[in-house]
Amino acid sequence: MGRSPCCEKAHTNKGAWTKEEDDRLIAYIRTHGEGCWRSLPKAAGLLRCGKSCRLRWINYLRPDPKRGNFTEDEDELIIKLHSLLGNKWSLIAGRLPGRTDNEIKNYWNTHIRRKLLNRGIDPTTHRPVNDSPTNYPTTTTVTATTTTNNNNNNNSSLDVTTISFANPPPTTHHLVKEEVEDEPKHNSDGSDHRKINSVLPEIQERCPDLNLELRMSPPHHSSSSSSSSSSSSSSHIHPQLQQENHYHHQLLKTGGRSPPGGTNICFACSLGIENSKECSCTNNINGTSSSSTGYDFLGLKTRVLDYRSLEMK
DNA sequence: AATTACACCAACCGCCTCCTT
DNA sequence: GAAGGAGGCGGTTGGTGTAAT
């Protein structure tokens, strides 16, 4: 009946981890690296479930510069991401460097929910609490309207498809209003924020409360002129990588907006699942996947599970 | 000072997805 | 293509600390 348990429950410890257990786990992973969580406890001499080891490592033991209180910027970013992604804590965490899904989930449930309720916003729907749900369905009935534009003067004639997932609600939502008010503050560098912004005015007029507008484009080739700064493939990559840290920092300041150059990525990449089979994006070619160079529709880094790239010291 | 209520968060549980055979 | 295993994810629980009465 049912699944076999992931471990021998009768012979495993539960509850809080002791210092000794932590030390053993750290020592083992430092020596052997992550992976094979099922066999890890036995190999490390731990009476713990493999899942428990994984959770302990990811959430608390792995090297991580960021612990402690969330900043106001992070708050707002989480709210925005949650309005777009829902309870996809791992995806949200992937866009908050140094934060874990569990941490964000807990923080959401204890702080942000209350914060939104105090603002008069339903934390689930991100709409005003007194709005009737019958005015605009929140789930399932997704009306995807697509429009295809042949892009002006590009030789590649990029087809950009805009998909609208939300019905137009009757009232203005103040959360989005905040975003609109914030918008001009961060355009001083002349970067390609307009790629998003050019779409936003109409969207926000139609659907000011929940922006699920996604831009889809054909596979982006390195020679495409969509990247205004450079068209050379390999020489184009490294400067972007060099700017990664800068964008990570800008991310929290801007609340996540398009990077300079406005890289086109596929829908899968935009959701941070660029390695999935849904990915039709050629950013993956030559190992330069969008996880290292791409940005999603918020202009946020699409790298997921950043901790994997952390080196053991 | 004692008791109760509340807030926080680490950890567990079960389901889902992906990968391998 | 099917089955099983392993890892990952989201929801939930339970222990602990703190504030309020």
Side-chain angles (χ1 to χ4, degrees), chain A residues 7-14 46-49:
Chain A
C7 54
E8 194 79 33
K9 295 199 177 193
H11 300 102
T12 55
N13 291 339
K14 285 193 176 182
L46 289 164
L47 295 175
R48 288 279 179 176
C49 168

Side-chain angles (χ1 to χ4, degrees), chain A residues 114-122 127-130 173-174:
Chain A
R114 201 178 318 136
K115 185 176 178 177
L116 289 179
L117 286 171
N118 287 340
R119 290 180 183 179
I121 298 168
D122 185 330
R127 296 192 167 99
V129 287
N130 55 358
H173 189 287
H174 94 272

Side-chain angles (χ1 to χ4, degrees), chain A residues 26-222:
Chain A
I26 292 169
Y28 182 85
I29 293 179
R30 279 183 176 165
T31 307
H32 300 92
E34 292 180 47
C36 201
W37 293 108
R38 180 166 288 220
S39 61
L40 184 149
K42 191 177 180 181
L46 289 164
L47 295 175
R48 288 279 179 176
C49 168
K51 283 184 170 186
S52 183
C53 294
R54 176 184 158 270
L55 203 64
R56 183 67 182 171
W57 171 254
I58 288 173
N59 284 334
Y60 305 101
L61 298 180
R62 71 183 165 91
D64 196 328
K66 199 171 236 178
R67 295 207 68 82
N69 294 339
F70 284 74
T71 65
E72 194 64 28
D73 286 338
E74 285 177 305
D75 275 17
E76 294 305 320
L77 182 53
I78 291 169
I79 291 168
K80 287 176 185 175
L81 288 168
H82 186 272
S83 72
L84 289 162
L85 300 169
N87 293 359
K88 301 296 179 187
W89 305 116
S90 61
L91 285 176
I92 294 172
R95 289 158 172 76
L96 283 157
R99 301 292 189 187
T100 68
D101 54 353
N102 204 40
E103 194 177 8
I104 293 171
K105 180 173 59 180
N106 281 333
Y107 187 68
W108 175 271
N109 287 327
T110 56
H111 291 86
I112 300 182
R113 279 179 66 89
R114 201 178 318 136
K115 185 176 178 177
L116 289 179
L117 286 171
N118 287 340
R119 290 180 183 179
I121 298 168
D122 185 330
T124 306
T125 62
H126 293 265
R127 296 192 167 99
V129 287
N130 55 358
D131 269 18
S132 168
T134 57
N135 287 342
Y136 33 88
T138 58
T139 57
T140 60
T141 48
V142 172
T143 56
T145 60
T146 63
T147 57
T148 301
N149 305 321
N150 271 339
N151 229 355
N152 45 29
N153 49 8
N154 277 348
N155 290 338
S156 55
S157 297
L158 287 175
D159 288 337
V160 177
T161 302
T162 301
I163 300 178
S164 175
F165 287 94
N167 289 345
T171 58
T172 302
H173 189 287
H174 94 272
L175 180 61
V176 170
K177 190 178 166 211
E178 286 178 4
E179 292 181 34
V180 173
E181 287 168 351
D182 284 341
E183 210 68 40
K185 295 177 191 171
H186 309 286
N187 280 338
S188 58
D189 59 356
S191 59
D192 203 7
H193 298 160
R194 65 189 179 280
K195 183 174 180 184
I196 298 278
N197 292 346
S198 63
V199 183
L200 278 177
E202 181 196 343
I203 298 165
Q204 286 166 346
E205 203 169 335
R206 262 189 312 116
C207 179
D209 62 324
L210 179 59
N211 177 13
L212 287 175
E213 208 74 27
L214 303 173
R215 293 175 67 83
M216 298 176 71
S217 58
H220 170 66
H221 298 283
S222 57

